[in-house]
Amino acid sequence: MKRRTKRTRPILTEGTQSLSFTRRTMLVGGAQIGIGALLAARMAYISIADNEHYRMLSESNRLNMTLIPPRRGWVIDRYGAAIANNRVDLRVDIIPERLKRPEQTLATLQNILALEPEEMERIRGELDRATSFQPVQVADGISEQAFAAISVRLPELPGVSPLRGFTRNYPSGAAVGHLMGYVGIASAEEYKESKDPLLITPGFKIGKDGLEKQFEQQLRGKPGAKRVEVTARGKVVRELTTTPDVPGHPIHLTLNADLQAYAARRLGRESGSVVVIDCLTGDLLTMASMPSFDPNSFSNGIGHDEWNLLSNDDHVPLRNKVLKGLYPPGSTVKPMVAMSFLEAGLSPDESVTCNGGLRVGNRVFHCWQRRGHGRVDMAKGIYQSCDVYFYYFAQKMGMNVIAAMAKRLGLGQEFPLPVSSQFYGTVPDPEWKMKKYKQAWQPYDTVNATIGQGYMLFNPLQLAVMASRLATGKKLMPHLLMDPKRKAAETLGFTDEHISYVRAAMSEVVNGRGTAGRARIPVDNVLLAGKTGTAQVVSLDRGSGKGGLWKYRDHGLFICFAPFDNPRFACSVVIEHGGGSGAAYPIARDVMTFLYDRQKAMDVLLPLEAAWGGTVEQRMASAMARFKSPVATPAPDTPPPPPGDNPR
Amino acid sequence: MSVIPAPVAGLPWRIMALTSALACFAGVVLYSAAGGSMTPWAGMHLIRFVIFLVMALVISRFDEDFIKSLSFPGYAGVALLLLFVEVVGQVKGGSQRWISLGAFNLQPSELMKIAIVLALARFYAMLPAGETTRFAAVWPALVLIGIPSALVLLQPDLGTTLAIVASGVIVMFIAGLPLRYFLGAAGAGAAAAPILFSMLHDYQQKRILIFLTPEADPLGSGYHIVQSKIAIGSGGLFGKGFLNGTQSHLQYLPEGHTDFVFATMAEEWGLFGGLMLLLGFFLLLRWATGVALRAQTKFGRYTAAGLTMTIFFYVAINLMMVMGLAPVVGIPLPFMSYGGSSMMTIMICIGIILSIDRKARRGHSGMSGLS
């Protein structure tokens, strides 16, 4: 073999090659031992130094803490009857994060649960919008069979969570809708705010509105916990420990649940509200606002159709009219105005002649009774609701007297109630007008205010408080909670004489020569005292206010208390566009009757309900059916009230 | 001279005992991995081991020259099998790595790990010592390594490719090729790494990236490494106890009976179990290296040293992978992982080294088998 001479490297021989082999093999062996030592060190580091860390990770892999949603505290009425309680419920949720084949899973669920297309649409919508951790309710109140059918098929339905739990129940349904609000699954924002894992536990709901929201912390309770060992695929291997839940605290309301339900039913197809106050304590016995929504169906997640039906209704079933309906009070303010005159020193015997109108400045203000009332003193001014009497003396006494009395009686005031908001309206006076409109108060402003028109706007709760304070002469504060420590009302300082005078005049409205003879209650030895009110909605050139388009009809109002000489209960009724007070006082009469004689009150209600097309639930169901049916059949319009029955 | 009768004394008792101990420990771990059952893994694993142990003993009876004579045809045959699975895979669409043999699926790439060592050992054994510094000593070896590496990389099986290259390069190294070649190649490799990286499959790139930061994607591809480390780390010094591993039993640990069997073991037996296993591998590799050093022929030396590297490569890469020191490449742990192909490869290696050992001992009749 030829070798290149330039090679300087020593030529490898068999001997040196053998030596090189031994050396290099030892080197490789040494490197292997080095790597082996490195591996041993690495393992020691992981399993000794980091042992605690990895042990914790291993435990958090293995153990899954499932929260048991606490049973929500009951809401009970003054006698302990349930306004909101819980019923056992079998339910199914989807946890979007764990959902694998959505379409297939939904199809299976639809098949087992016989879900309506609308429900499917809602579920799909919520799944699209849901953040991964938020459970989406599929159905609740499902049957044992369906529950079992889903439970056995769980391995092929990842992300589906059947649960035996409790759901909120409102026995009187829509009657307490506005008051109670409803519960629902916590929103993503609410979860992000508190980071409480309970909020994303399937089956757990928080108060979304009304008292459910106001008393969320008391009602919520403490969740129980179930520690389970789970596989990587989420299958539960065994249960380790279970801590029971601590139910939430009950909320004891001053409400009379039966009366509330009766009032809601008695409102019928009208859009209106009823407030009843206990004249001894100021307890609110009823705060009914109709039409309303059924908190049971709201709490279960409401369908698109139901939502559209409710939000497009001109009777605004989503607004609590007791607190958020503001109305011109009309003639219901007259007893209050009269009381202000009395307290300011006007003799009740002073009178004025009503010829059907009074010139104020360059304009004639008419009395509702164009024929005139003749000679009118204070009592007749109240029971005949003579406008001219008030036009005349209001100008004499001045607006400040009236406005001060209005405020003392609760008008325009916000009360310390556990509600999210109250619209408290306006008690107008010269100072207010200057501040708001930069205009001086005019005599015609006083004239307008004195008959409850113009700038005056109050909510039905204020009207009821006014009635109770006029009736008792005490500064009754409305209460919603049965707080044993609630203070006895202070006196307003009216003389007994003045109180008796106004009581008698208001009794005359109902029981004598007054404007609401048909409001007399069919109870022996109990006389109702009241005051009618009709509030114009549009100027008379657009309609008479009595008939025509619903939204142009006058509001009908009525305030009352009973018994007139020793008041126990006070009440206000406001019917939106009722066409006049004739729409309001029969309802007040029946509600007040219910407090004394339930049977008589029910005897009046049942035939009425038959004529209206069933109970509240039945009418809501048929409205829903009409809304869904492709041939839109319009809902029967509210008939105008019988003519000639609507004094101011 | 031994006092024990020759046929019995001729059996490699120490290696049989050592490998049997490793396989039996694997049986215990696989029994636990199946939730306390011999099926589906532990029983089959032990049966396979017995079969392959007998096969190894048969191979150990082969004369070294016979094995030598088979090395080039064997290499050619395995290379053809590799080509065959590649073609079949292309025809069927998608990649296929194995040929079904009924009892298990044979991966030709596994056999190539041995074939490349034998072929290179034969090549360098033929080469006169003076030639080893010349280029003629390099390019045939590169061709021999390059062909199967390319075929296996096409499958694509990065782990096996690296094993083939590593075994081949080690044979070249111990055969005495100049150091500058290796240093130069290492430098060039480091420089070419970014280019090679860009040529990898997406999933391979992803695995390497995730290896660098496994916690960044704990529920995705980093899941394997994270869960494996949790299993090993939570085991502590003496483990959670036999049948008490939660990572494996609750299926958090993926591939707990194959590639990640070490993690399954470590969770229940702890650092102690891990060190015992490392000791077992150390004894085996020390014996194999000893055989290489004792061997009288160049072929025997290179083969034994190369196959030692093959076994070591399995162990090292697998353990680095499960402890988060290497990317997830599908390399099983010898004797421990459930699977026929790798066990067959390992036992063939053992058989060949035993054969070389027998020849070495015949040459040095005074020496004992296990130094």
Side-chain angles (χ1 to χ4, degrees):
Chain A
M1 227 177 268
K2 243 185 187 174
R3 300 229 177 270
R4 268 166 281 184
T5 48
K6 65 180 172 181
R7 183 180 289 280
T8 54
R9 193 169 291 277
I11 293 162
L12 214 62
T13 65
E14 292 295 328
T16 53
Q17 192 183 26
S18 176
L19 188 62
S20 150
F21 167 78
T22 306
R23 269 201 236 126
R24 289 189 176 190
T25 302
M26 301 280 268
L27 185 70
V28 170
Q32 290 177 352
I33 289 171
I35 290 172
L38 179 81
L39 287 169
R42 168 73 174 173
M43 187 178 174
Y45 181 79
I46 293 177
S47 60
I48 305 296
D50 276 352
N51 177 244
E52 209 166 310
H53 171 66
Y54 286 116
R55 191 174 282 274
M56 197 191 71
L57 287 177
S58 156
E59 288 295 284
S60 78
N61 261 350
R62 176 174 80 96
L63 297 174
N64 199 338
M65 182 100 103
T66 314
L67 290 175
I68 303 169
R71 280 160 288 173
R72 209 169 164 76
W74 284 30
V75 177
I76 53 177
D77 83 344
R78 61 192 298 115
Y79 305 117
I83 294 173
N85 55 16
N86 307 301
R87 64 184 152 77
V88 176
D89 180 38
L90 303 177
R91 54 181 294 114
V92 179
D93 295 82
I94 288 178
I95 297 156
E97 191 185 33
R98 300 195 197 140
L99 188 62
K100 295 277 161 56
R101 308 166 296 272
E103 276 315 307
Q104 213 175 317
T105 305
L106 283 179
T108 311
L109 289 175
Q110 183 175 21
N111 198 18
I112 296 175
L113 296 168
L115 294 171
E116 302 275 333
E118 198 210 332
E119 276 296 290
M120 295 301 291
E121 198 187 311
R122 175 189 64 78
I123 296 165
R124 285 206 181 88
E126 287 186 15
L127 278 178
D128 287 343
R129 267 175 280 126
T131 35
S132 58
F133 43 75
Q134 250 184 321
V136 169
Q137 171 170 316
V138 177
D140 71 349
I142 64 174
S143 68
E144 283 283 355
Q145 288 95 321
F147 189 79
I150 290 174
S151 299
V152 298
R153 298 183 71 171
L154 274 188
E156 43 176 308
L157 297 172
V160 175
S161 152
L163 201 73
R164 191 179 291 273
F166 292 91
T167 193
R168 200 61 160 164
N169 182 43
Y170 307 90
S172 42
V176 296
H178 291 142
L179 183 67
M180 290 307 306
Y182 57 97
V183 296
I185 294 168
S187 68
E189 293 76 41
E190 282 160 335
Y191 174 65
K192 272 179 204 137
E193 218 168 88
S194 73
K195 285 283 167 218
D196 185 347
L198 178 60
L199 293 187
I200 54 165
T201 305
F204 179 73
K205 287 176 178 172
I206 63 168
K208 291 286 196 177
D209 199 6
L211 295 178
E212 293 280 22
K213 188 177 183 183
Q214 290 296 315
F215 290 105
E216 174 61 25
Q217 290 314 313
Q218 288 97 309
L219 290 169
R220 184 179 286 185
K222 291 203 176 66
K226 194 164 69 176
R227 279 203 321 158
V228 290
E229 199 175 77
V230 290
T231 68
R233 291 185 189 86
K235 193 177 149 227
V236 173
V237 180
R238 59 186 159 152
E239 285 187 19
L240 298 172
T241 50
T242 301
T243 339
D245 63 310
V246 179
H249 293 293
I251 302 293
H252 196 177
L253 298 184
T254 58
L255 239 49
N256 177 336
D258 293 339
L259 184 70
Q260 170 94 12
Y262 181 86
R265 287 172 72 178
R266 185 58 186 83
L267 279 165
R269 299 215 309 250
E270 302 285 3
S271 170
S273 52
V274 177
V275 179
V276 180
I277 293 180
D278 186 318
C279 286
L280 301 181
T281 56
D283 289 352
L284 284 159
L285 300 179
T286 284
M287 290 173 85
S289 163
M290 294 298 280
S292 180
F293 57 87
D294 184 351
N296 290 306
S297 70
F298 253 57
S299 298
N300 292 341
I302 179 173
H304 281 299
D305 285 357
E306 194 173 358
W307 176 259
N308 288 336
L309 176 65
L310 289 170
S311 48
N312 294 334
D313 191 333
D314 59 359
H315 286 40
V316 282
L318 295 175
R319 182 192 296 157
N320 184 356
K321 298 182 186 86
V322 171
L323 298 169
K324 296 184 182 175
L326 288 175
Y327 310 93
S331 300
T332 57
V333 295
K334 283 174 180 167
M336 178 276 288
V337 175
M339 182 62 91
S340 77
F341 292 172
L342 287 170
E343 289 290 304
L346 181 70
S347 165
D349 298 327
E350 288 213 41
S351 56
V352 67
T353 302
C354 169
N355 294 318
L358 185 73
R359 175 170 293 273
V360 178
N362 56 4
R363 207 185 124 189
V364 174
F365 282 75
H366 290 283
C367 185
W368 68 271
Q369 183 58 274
R370 297 293 174 100
R371 293 193 305 268
H373 285 106
R375 202 77 199 150
V376 182
D377 63 2
M378 186 181 282
K380 191 175 178 185
I382 293 173
Y383 67 72
Q384 277 291 319
S385 201
C386 177
D387 293 338
V388 167
Y389 174 87
F390 288 94
Y391 295 156
Y392 179 76
F393 285 105
Q395 290 182 77
K396 277 193 148 181
M397 309 302 292
M399 188 62 205
N400 285 329
V401 169
I402 299 169
M405 178 58 70
K407 288 174 188 164
R408 279 174 85 189
L409 294 184
L411 296 177
Q413 307 304 300
E414 194 172 7
F415 301 108
L417 290 172
V419 293
S420 56
S421 70
Q422 307 172 43
F423 292 178
Y424 46 89
T426 310
V427 176
D429 60 21
E431 198 184 322
W432 171 86
K433 190 181 176 188
M434 184 53 82
K435 199 174 162 192
K436 173 127 186 181
Y437 293 105
K438 309 268 183 284
Q439 281 171 13
W441 189 262
Q442 300 296 328
Y444 58 76
D445 288 323
T446 307
V447 167
N448 264 330
T450 198
I451 60 161
Q453 296 280 167
Y455 300 116
M456 273 191 178
L457 282 177
F458 302 130
N459 71 33
L461 175 64
Q462 290 166 346
L463 295 179
V465 170
M466 173 178 73
S468 72
R469 290 185 180 177
L470 270 176
T472 59
K474 288 181 189 155
K475 197 183 175 190
L476 288 166
M477 293 301 286
H479 296 289
L480 204 44
L481 288 183
M482 279 296 256
D483 179 0
K485 284 179 284 186
R486 55 195 189 278
K487 285 187 224 127
E490 320 154 14
T491 175
L492 283 161
F494 303 153
T495 67
D496 289 346
E497 249 174 84
H498 293 163
I499 294 171
S500 300
Y501 188 89
V502 172
R503 282 178 183 171
M506 286 176 74
S507 175
E508 196 71 12
V509 171
V510 177
N511 305 301
R513 294 156 285 174
T515 52
R518 297 200 308 152
R520 188 172 304 148
I521 57 173
V523 182
D524 294 340
N525 304 324
V526 177
L527 291 182
L528 186 76
K531 182 67 195 84
T532 54
T534 297
Q536 244 172 265
V537 178
V538 291
S539 60
L540 286 175
D541 52 346
R542 302 197 69 165
S544 72
K546 313 260 181 284
L549 271 180
W550 180 78
K551 64 177 177 177
Y552 296 142
R553 291 180 205 158
D554 295 341
H555 296 316
L557 302 93
F558 192 67
I559 60 164
C560 60
F561 53 86
F564 91 97
D565 50 352
N566 180 25
R568 183 73 180 75
F569 305 109
C571 170
S572 75
V573 174
V574 177
I575 304 300
E576 290 184 346
H577 310 294
S581 61
Y585 65 74
I587 294 174
R589 170 197 68 206
D590 296 339
V591 168
M592 293 299 265
T593 303
F594 186 87
L595 281 162
Y596 291 99
D597 190 333
R598 291 191 174 198
Q599 193 52 51
K600 279 185 182 159
M602 290 308 289
D603 289 346
V604 175
L605 174 64
L606 294 176
L608 284 172
E609 278 195 336
W612 292 328
T615 62
V616 177
E617 288 74 32
Q618 288 164 342
R619 292 201 308 273
M620 281 171 82
S622 53
M624 193 66 211
R626 266 200 310 279
F627 187 83
K628 273 196 199 169
S629 76
V631 188
T633 40
D637 196 14
T638 314
D645 199 24
N646 290 288
R648 296 260 166 182
Chain B
M1 278 287 159
S2 177
V3 292
I4 303 163
V8 182
L11 282 175
W13 288 111
R14 297 190 190 202
I15 290 309
M16 284 167 69
L18 184 58
T19 55
S20 298
L22 286 169
C24 286
F25 188 39
V28 169
V29 173
L30 292 174
Y31 177 83
S32 174
S37 167
M38 290 303 284
T39 55
W41 303 313
M44 190 64 185
H45 187 78
L46 291 173
I47 291 169
R48 279 185 190 152
F49 173 73
V50 171
I51 292 170
F52 288 129
L53 181 64
V54 170
M55 181 196 73
L57 291 175
V58 170
I59 292 172
S60 74
R61 293 277 148 184
F62 292 169
D63 191 69
E64 187 187 298
D65 292 331
F66 174 65
I67 294 168
K68 192 175 177 180
S69 69
L70 282 180
S71 55
F72 282 147
Y75 174 86
V78 175
L80 283 173
L81 280 176
L82 274 177
L83 196 62
F84 174 73
V85 290
E86 186 63 29
V87 169
V88 169
Q90 290 293 331
V91 172
K92 283 187 179 172
S95 74
Q96 188 178 341
R97 301 174 179 184
W98 41 263
I99 299 162
S100 179
L101 289 186
F104 66 98
N105 295 323
L106 176 73
Q107 289 194 28
S109 58
E110 283 289 327
L111 290 178
M112 181 50 82
K113 291 175 185 171
I114 301 167
I116 188 70
V117 171
L118 292 178
L120 286 175
R122 175 89 201 266
F123 170 70
Y124 285 111
M126 290 190 327
L127 203 68
E131 293 292 302
T132 48
T133 53
R134 297 185 56 186
F135 187 62
V138 178
W139 70 262
L142 291 182
V143 171
L144 284 173
I145 296 170
I147 291 169
S149 297
L151 285 170
V152 176
L153 196 58
L154 274 174
Q155 285 183 352
D157 185 348
L158 186 62
T160 308
T161 308
L162 289 176
I164 291 169
V165 172
S167 302
V169 169
I170 283 298
V171 176
M172 292 167 76
F173 179 71
I174 55 176
L177 260 56
L179 269 176
R180 57 194 159 91
Y181 289 181
F182 298 96
L183 297 176
I195 300 161
L196 289 173
F197 181 78
S198 68
M199 287 164 66
L200 293 175
H201 277 253
D202 277 350
Y203 85 97
Q204 289 167 332
Q205 288 189 358
K206 209 170 159 194
R207 278 180 177 178
I208 291 171
L209 290 175
I210 280 154
F211 152 68
L212 296 170
T213 48
E215 280 79 8
D217 184 21
L219 290 176
S221 309
Y223 183 82
H224 288 62
I225 291 176
V226 170
Q227 294 301 334
S228 170
K229 278 160 77 178
I230 292 175
I232 297 169
S234 65
L237 193 54
F238 291 105
K240 295 175 183 170
F242 182 51
L243 296 180
N244 287 339
T246 54
Q247 285 288 104
S248 55
H249 290 155
L250 301 177
Q251 294 136 37
Y252 290 95
L253 186 65
E255 301 292 321
H257 62 290
T258 56
D259 290 356
F260 286 87
V261 71
F262 183 81
T264 304
M265 184 282 301
E267 191 185 14
E268 295 187 359
W269 299 89
L271 179 62
F272 174 76
L275 292 180
M276 292 314 287
L277 201 56
L278 281 177
L279 177 69
F281 287 124
F282 168 74
L283 290 177
L284 185 75
L285 292 168
R286 192 183 67 157
W287 163 74
T289 306
V291 171
L293 291 173
R294 279 198 300 278
Q296 296 302 299
T297 62
K298 281 210 261 182
F299 176 76
R301 287 174 167 183
Y302 300 161
T303 302
L307 294 181
T308 305
M309 187 62 200
T310 302
I311 298 171
F312 175 80
F313 194 81
Y314 272 109
V315 176
I317 297 297
N318 179 274
L319 293 188
M320 286 165 83
M321 173 179 85
V322 298
M323 292 186 211
L325 294 172
V328 176
V329 287
I331 286 190
L333 186 62
F335 302 106
M336 299 298 289
S337 290
Y338 179 78
S341 280
S342 66
M343 186 187 276
M344 185 177 77
T345 310
I346 297 296
M347 293 311 282
I348 291 174
C349 291
I350 301 284
I352 294 171
I353 299 172
L354 279 171
S355 161
I356 294 164
D357 195 18
R358 263 166 41 83
K359 181 162 184 183
R361 271 187 294 168
R362 276 203 300 278
H364 293 257
S365 48
M367 277 176 66
S368 81
L370 237 177
S371 59

